[in-house]
Amino acid sequence: MATVLNTQFGIDGHLVFKMDASGLIVAEINNELGSASLCLQGAHLMSWQPKNQAVPVVWLSTDAKLAAGKSIRGGAPVCWPWFGAHATESGFPGHGFARTVPWRVIESGTEPAGETRLTLRLTPSDKTRAQWPHECTVDLTVIVGATLRMEMRTENTGTTDFEIGEALHTYFQIGDIGAVSVTGLEGSEYWDKVGGSNLRKQDAEITFTGEVDRVYINNEAECVIHDEQLKRRIHIAKSGSLSTVVWTPWVEKATKMGDMGQPDGWRQMVCVESANAIENVVKVAAGCTHTLIVEYRAVSV
Ligand code: BG6
């Protein structure tokens, strides 16, 4: 299978498909501007490092495992067609099924400035229709270079409207959770998922001294992670996304999760997720398309 993909979509030394020991296929991208890897199951970007950064910008747990039907801890899981728990079916998977089902490669190429582009597509199967009975295609394009751009395009190919919740649930690599702040959400309202579900307002920059699990709503602002230890800022710009989820599990939850990696691996990550959740779920009318776009860049300071 990797051989067929390499023949059809491989790009000399810049895009290579390899089969992992688990039997899953991983696309490895490496060009003059940056490197990345992406598992075809879930269209799950696992890593990204621009050449001008000594440390990856996207965090992957040292305990991350590739396994059929299982999500990978870290990277940029694709949450779709719902975010968080399913509204009515407790047996359906958290964050939807997109991150655990196979996607197929439909296109690859090189951008004029040398970035590598790869597009994967999810189409309904009997298994997904049993949980979400709508006709659609979902395309995820990643453009890997000194910046990382991800475009997630949902097309309603059926004859009835549907609603989706979604997120690019990206884990960012940081020096230490106690020494970072996130700006861009000042003045925004958020649903605080820690200790119940309460609507609050963000007064100042976000800092971390315990578990944080918040869905900021009605805000498309660029967010910035300020990292004192790694001496860099990570910029997160987006469009087609009115929610931003900020999440750190902190020690108790991380210990329960059991896959956050090397002792205190959770301290080296923070999630800033570009989403459409809760009141920002998106209606996609029959025949119409909705696109969520993010662009990440790291600036040394
Ligand atoms: C975040 C949620 O988006 O994802 C958290 O807000 C959740 O509540 C976290 O714990 C991780 O989810 P999962 O399903 O990948 O363990």
Side-chain angles (χ1 to χ4, degrees):
M1 174 139 175
T3 316
V4 176
L5 286 168
N6 281 317
T7 309
Q8 251 188 305
F9 300 106
I11 303 173
D12 283 348
H14 288 173
L15 171 60
V16 178
F17 296 90
K18 291 186 181 162
M19 187 179 280
D20 175 80
S22 63
L24 297 179
I25 305 276
V26 175
E28 291 185 355
I29 295 171
N30 192 6
N31 57 42
E32 271 140 43
L33 304 165
S35 61
S37 61
L38 185 143
C39 182
L40 269 47
Q41 174 176 279
H44 195 132
L45 179 109
M46 299 194 298
S47 61
W48 170 55
Q49 183 168 0
K51 294 282 154 131
N52 63 8
Q53 292 295 313
V55 174
V57 176
V58 169
W59 178 90
L60 182 68
S61 170
T62 52
D63 279 354
K65 283 183 196 70
L66 271 61
K70 299 262 186 272
S71 184
I72 302 162
R73 182 63 64 198
V78 173
C79 305
W80 189 99
W82 59 86
F83 178 82
H86 188 275
T88 53
E89 299 291 335
S90 58
F92 287 4
H95 292 327
F97 49 74
R99 61 178 176 165
T100 53
V101 298
W103 293 52
R104 69 191 161 84
V105 181
I106 59 163
E107 199 268 341
S108 67
T110 303
E111 297 284 295
E115 297 95 345
T116 305
R117 186 182 68 247
L118 176 63
T119 301
L120 269 60
R121 175 167 291 175
L122 171 63
T123 41
S125 64
D126 290 347
K127 195 177 153 198
T128 65
R129 281 192 190 95
Q131 297 188 347
W132 199 75
H134 302 285
E135 292 310 312
C136 63
T137 57
V138 190
D139 287 352
L140 182 81
T141 297
V142 296
I143 301 175
V144 176
T147 62
L148 174 68
R149 187 177 167 95
M150 300 175 79
E151 303 179 359
M152 180 155 67
R153 189 170 169 274
T154 301
E155 184 177 358
N156 183 339
T157 54
T159 52
T160 51
D161 304 349
F162 59 65
E163 257 185 12
I164 53 165
E166 58 181 348
L168 291 171
H169 185 312
T170 309
Y171 291 71
F172 292 98
Q173 176 109 30
I174 53 174
D176 184 82
I177 189 70
V180 297
S181 62
V182 176
T183 57
L185 293 163
E186 302 81 3
S188 180
E189 283 190 315
Y190 64 92
W191 288 103
D192 191 349
K193 291 166 71 181
V194 176
S197 195
N198 299 300
L199 191 61
R200 301 186 199 280
K201 190 165 180 192
Q202 186 67 40
D203 293 327
E205 63 178 12
I206 306 166
T207 51
F208 302 90
T209 53
E211 181 186 0
V212 168
D213 193 353
R214 301 176 183 170
V215 182
Y216 290 84
I217 51 170
N218 304 325
N219 195 321
E220 210 167 44
E222 175 170 319
C223 289
V224 180
I225 302 169
H226 303 259
D227 189 335
E228 275 176 32
Q229 289 194 356
L230 294 182
K231 299 195 179 359
R232 69 183 181 191
R233 291 192 310 256
I234 299 173
H235 291 253
I236 300 153
K238 62 177 185 169
S239 66
S241 157
L242 284 176
S243 315
T244 302
V245 182
V246 178
W247 177 61
T248 171
W250 218 254
V251 62
E252 205 175 312
K253 192 161 182 193
T255 308
K256 272 195 208 136
M257 289 164 68
D259 61 356
M260 296 299 286
Q262 64 204 25
D264 292 347
W266 62 273
R267 294 201 72 100
Q268 276 90 58
M269 53 92 11
V270 66
C271 283
V272 179
E273 310 166 33
S274 299
N276 287 301
I278 313 181
E279 51 259 74
N280 296 142
V281 293
V282 177
K283 179 175 161 188
V284 188
C288 292
T289 296
H290 155 76
T291 307
L292 186 165
I293 300 176
V294 297
E295 190 158 300
Y296 307 139
R297 69 193 160 93
V299 180
S300 299
V301 291

